[in-house]
Amino acid sequence: MANAWCEEVTIRVDASQAGRPVSRHLTGVCIEDVNHEIYGGIYSQMIFGESFQEPPRTAALKGSVSPDATAATSGMWGPISSGNAPLSGMIEKNRSFIGVQSQRITCTGSEGEVGIENQGLNRQGMAFTEGKPYEGYVWLRSEKPADVLLTLESRDGARRYAETTVASTVDEWRRFNFTLTPNASDRAGRFAIRLPSPGSVVIGHAFLQPGDWGRFKGLPLRRDAVDGLIDQGVTVLRYGGSMVNEPEYRWKKVIGPRDHRPPYRGHWYPHSSNGWGMIDFLDLCDAAGFMAIPDFNIDETPRDMADFIDYANGPVDGEWGKRRAADGHPTPYNVRHIELGNEEKIDDAYFKKFASLAKVIWQKDPAIILVVGDFQYKQIIDDPLHFEGADSKITSLAAHKRILDLARQNGREVWFDTHMWTAGPAPSPSALAFRSYVDAIEKLAEGAKHHVVVFEFNANNHDQRRALANAAAIGAIMRDGRVPVALSANALQPDGQNDNGWDQGLLFLNPSRVWLQPPGFVARMISRSYQPRVLESHVEGAALSVTATRSDDGKHLVLQVVNLGQMPQPSRIQLIGFTPSNPIAELEILAGPLDAKNSDSKIDGIKPTHIEWRHNMKDGVAGYTFLPYSFTVIQLN
């Protein structure tokens, strides 16, 4: 049985020295789930399955249409009918608009309407705001003239909030733009495409998003989602993860008009749209001020990677610079980091692919830092050429050494991305082994410019336990001082979405709002209290994780303290070489049960509290008791 109290411990911080530089980029995030973090997440597109590539769901037809209907609708859409007008729908593979199929709807009754409806990701419903315009377009073709009704309506179709009619008049694909302004608000509505009279029409693509009022700087991005990332303190964003390992994931498929981009077989879903991809990610980072790190499939060809450098960083008068300008971004993106692969087996086969791509990338832009898409290590590495515990099953860093030699011979810098498990609250084997991996890479470098980075803190939860583990891991990285970038996965998570095994989003979303989970608050606390120098600190006794930083001028000192214990922890804080002139310190505290998290019904169930603490420091010593299961930031001036 645990004691109800803990003995006092001493925290010593040496502020007499300038300290080592600490990176500003340790509170980044990673988007790695293109279907969920993008659709229903940061992408302003409200329709899931906009190009009708999913096979029909027969269960969706039961009770939805009249008994004599022969309806087949793409899997993300539902059939609708009224009056004596049965829906005859079919998945049409002849002359499809994009991909392998399109959606035909046919009305044969004399009274009533038929059509299809979409309720967004997971059919959770679309959020409409009264009086605010929504913009979209549909691609249609028909053998005969047909009026097509487009509506915003309630989930059951009983109430219509806005409608407009477009006329399909030709036998060729034609795009119809529209604007709909609802006359009422609804947190869970739907978008419908209807035939109000007998006829037949084929639908190739449907798009719907908020007007400029709901988008970030005019881009196809949810304003509240991007604002949420900025508020969280994100400084760097990676676009990558398991999705990049799919054979059809290629950057050239995501340029040009999004309604003409080919769908592809994705990782989490077999039918993935390219409506929002790597190029849109670069637009996001450019607009929000994030450092951008795009991740590429390691099997991209050297020619295609050379073309990407021209597209991203080349002059506007070049072939690919012109393509970039045509896509809406005349000025170069100035991409400085490119990752090759994700959670790869770093062996001779990987090295050969890496070397062939590195050659053309460095020829095009010598300033590019290439990142090796490594995996996770769960055992301490004593000998870099003989070890166990790598998730990729390698037992030697010989290929890493070849990459380091390649970088040194070309006068270039390379980074190695290893991942870390932070399910918490205690440090995982990969967290404990991390420094030995950094040491091992240093042993092999022989002067090669390099860094180790962490592009994925992973977990199977988004609770307080994960928040504490993230805080401890970031603190350890800050104290080590050798890691320039650390990122958490996943950046975003639609509420109620966890069919891919990664229930770990920092910023949660539903169709109408966003909110932070405890690990997101940890990132915000660290980012807002950032100081550029890390100091030597030492804890005698209990399992507190303590990180101390200070300003360049020495006037501001910050303590970040993680208490992994279930009891309050009294402490004696001793500062050497720093005397605060302000008797009041600012404290921010995130504390709560290990399973604490936030929900749509209670988005602030757990959140940081702010207090002013009169420290009564005497001879550089003050006493403070840290709450159980807490992360505390103390700012002294």
Side-chain angles (χ1 to χ4, degrees):
M1 183 175 178
N3 292 327
W5 54 273
C6 296
E7 294 184 359
E8 184 181 71
V9 300
T10 297
I11 300 171
R12 287 194 179 89
V13 176
D14 185 359
S16 63
Q17 304 296 320
R20 300 185 305 277
V22 62
S23 173
R24 189 72 176 87
H25 300 299
L26 302 181
T27 56
V29 288
C30 167
I31 293 177
E32 64 167 308
D33 182 354
V34 69
N35 287 98
H36 305 140
E37 292 183 88
I38 302 305
Y39 287 91
I42 202 166
Y43 187 22
S44 59
Q45 158 73 315
M46 299 169 70
I47 294 171
F48 190 54
E50 73 272 32
S51 55
F52 303 97
Q53 298 306 298
E54 288 79 12
R57 294 180 301 146
T58 55
L61 306 182
K62 296 179 181 179
S64 299
V65 295
S66 57
D68 58 342
T70 57
T73 60
S74 178
M76 299 302 168
W77 294 74
I80 50 180
S81 67
S82 64
N84 71 351
L87 169 66
S88 176
M90 64 178 293
I91 302 299
E92 188 157 310
K93 298 182 182 295
N94 179 40
R95 296 174 59 202
S96 60
F97 172 72
I98 195 76
V100 299
Q101 64 188 37
S102 296
Q103 175 74 58
R104 180 182 287 274
I105 58 174
T106 301
C107 178
T108 58
S110 58
E111 295 181 3
E113 298 174 345
V114 303
I116 55 175
E117 52 82 13
N118 192 286
Q119 298 180 34
L121 179 66
N122 298 330
R123 298 183 64 77
Q124 290 180 332
M126 299 178 180
F128 303 134
T129 300
E130 180 182 359
K132 298 290 188 180
Y134 291 78
E135 303 169 355
Y137 52 80
V138 290
W139 281 90
L140 305 172
R141 67 174 174 85
S142 58
E143 291 75 18
K144 297 179 180 179
D147 288 337
V148 178
L149 184 63
L150 310 173
T151 64
L152 303 183
E153 54 192 52
S154 60
R155 185 190 291 273
D156 60 3
R159 298 184 61 194
R160 291 189 187 177
Y161 307 126
E163 63 180 58
T164 190
T165 300
V166 297
S168 178
T169 58
V170 296
D171 196 28
E172 298 296 332
W173 287 111
R174 179 181 171 189
R175 172 170 159 163
F176 296 87
N177 298 329
F178 63 85
T179 299
L180 293 168
T181 303
N183 59 16
S185 296
D186 191 334
R187 291 190 65 187
R190 71 187 193 186
F191 169 73
I193 304 174
R194 298 169 177 268
L195 284 175
S197 57
S200 185
V201 66
V202 185
I203 313 163
H205 191 94
F207 183 87
L208 179 70
Q209 68 176 354
D212 190 66
W213 62 271
R215 306 203 307 272
F216 186 79
K217 296 186 177 180
L219 295 170
L221 300 164
R222 277 182 57 171
R223 176 177 292 177
D224 58 350
V226 181
D227 286 343
L229 292 175
I230 294 172
D231 176 68
Q232 183 181 308
V234 170
T235 57
V236 55
L237 191 62
R238 172 200 184 220
Y239 189 61
S242 298
M243 67 190 194
V244 313
N245 300 110
E246 294 304 311
E248 296 180 37
Y249 182 87
R250 295 293 188 270
W251 80 268
K252 284 187 175 179
K253 293 184 177 181
V254 292
I255 59 177
R258 53 185 34 85
D259 46 349
H260 283 78
R261 298 174 186 174
Y264 71 104
R265 184 171 183 84
H267 183 79
W268 305 115
Y269 275 77
H271 308 282
S272 295
S273 169
N274 272 318
W276 199 97
M278 188 181 296
I279 305 309
D280 308 285
F281 158 78
L282 294 177
D283 285 337
L284 159 63
C285 292
D286 185 58
F290 302 149
M291 176 196 293
I293 303 180
D295 193 2
F296 290 79
N297 188 300
I298 189 61
D299 290 319
E300 289 270 13
T301 68
R303 174 61 182 272
D304 284 347
M305 288 307 301
D307 290 343
F308 174 78
I309 302 303
D310 285 341
Y311 182 97
N313 293 351
V316 72
D317 56 355
E319 175 188 357
W320 288 97
K322 290 179 181 177
R323 294 283 293 274
R324 183 189 65 240
D327 288 342
H329 203 283
T331 59
Y333 286 108
N334 271 332
V335 173
R336 286 292 163 255
H337 306 83
I338 288 176
E339 185 168 16
L340 299 177
N342 171 74
E343 296 184 346
E344 304 285 344
K345 184 177 184 180
I346 309 302
D347 55 9
D348 285 345
Y350 176 90
F351 169 75
K352 291 175 182 177
K353 295 176 181 179
F354 180 93
S356 65
L357 298 180
K359 179 180 178 181
V360 299
I361 292 170
W362 285 336
Q363 284 177 345
K364 285 286 185 179
D365 191 337
I368 293 286
I369 295 174
L370 293 179
V371 185
V372 175
D374 206 346
F375 205 173
Q376 182 172 259
Y377 298 82
K378 296 179 181 176
Q379 294 183 26
I380 301 294
I381 300 174
D382 293 317
D383 181 351
L385 301 180
H386 299 89
F387 58 84
E388 301 291 337
D391 276 3
S392 65
K393 308 304 180 184
I394 64 172
T395 57
S396 169
L397 299 183
H400 296 67
K401 177 170 172 49
R402 294 183 70 186
I403 292 171
L404 287 162
D405 292 343
L406 180 71
R408 185 179 60 255
Q409 293 160 8
N410 287 273
R412 303 292 178 255
E413 181 175 348
V414 291
W415 290 0
F416 295 87
D417 165 28
T418 183
H419 298 170
M420 187 183 300
W421 192 249
T422 57
S428 68
S430 58
L432 296 173
F434 176 71
R435 285 191 64 180
S436 73
Y437 175 84
V438 182
D439 293 340
I441 295 294
E442 282 195 351
K443 290 178 183 178
L444 300 175
E446 297 181 357
K449 295 180 181 178
H450 74 281
H451 281 292
V452 171
V453 292
V454 180
F455 282 178
E456 290 186 31
F457 292 134
N458 280 313
N460 53 13
N461 71 84
H462 51 269
D463 306 345
Q464 176 73 350
R465 68 179 68 247
R466 200 249 179 135
L468 299 178
N470 272 21
I474 295 172
I477 286 172
M478 293 172 72
R479 296 191 299 275
D480 181 85
R482 292 177 288 178
V483 175
V485 175
L487 313 175
S488 288
N490 289 37
L492 306 164
Q493 184 170 323
D495 190 29
Q497 175 63 55
N498 185 29
D499 67 358
N500 62 3
W502 298 111
D503 190 17
Q504 60 176 8
L506 273 65
L507 185 69
F508 265 48
L509 316 92
N510 62 27
S512 58
R513 60 179 176 177
V514 306
W515 63 92
L516 282 175
Q517 295 292 357
F521 282 123
V522 163
R524 191 176 76 175
M525 292 166 69
I526 293 174
S527 179
R528 289 184 177 181
S529 62
Y530 171 80
Q531 295 295 343
R533 317 292 296 186
V534 65
L535 305 173
E536 293 294 331
S537 58
H538 179 69
V539 182
E540 295 178 359
L544 293 180
S545 171
V546 179
T547 306
T549 59
R550 68 180 292 178
S551 58
D552 283 327
D553 61 11
K555 294 181 179 180
H556 310 285
L557 188 146
V558 174
L559 290 178
Q560 299 174 4
V561 182
V562 184
N563 181 13
L564 299 177
Q566 61 179 325
M567 297 298 169
Q569 180 58 66
S571 66
R572 180 175 178 268
I573 301 173
Q574 182 180 9
L575 304 181
I576 301 170
F578 182 88
T579 302
S581 58
N582 190 334
I584 303 296
E586 300 292 330
L587 269 67
E588 189 172 16
I589 307 162
L590 181 68
L594 292 179
D595 61 355
K597 54 183 175 290
N598 295 319
S599 65
D600 179 40
S601 61
K602 197 171 184 180
I603 63 174
D604 57 355
I606 177 171
K607 63 179 181 179
T609 58
H610 298 258
I611 66 171
E612 292 185 343
W613 173 48
R614 184 171 292 275
H615 49 72
N616 296 319
M617 187 166 290
K618 184 177 181 181
D619 298 327
V621 177
Y624 184 79
T625 298
F626 295 94
L627 293 176
Y629 298 139
S630 67
F631 177 51
T632 303
V633 175
I634 302 175
Q635 299 194 55
L636 296 154
N637 299 300

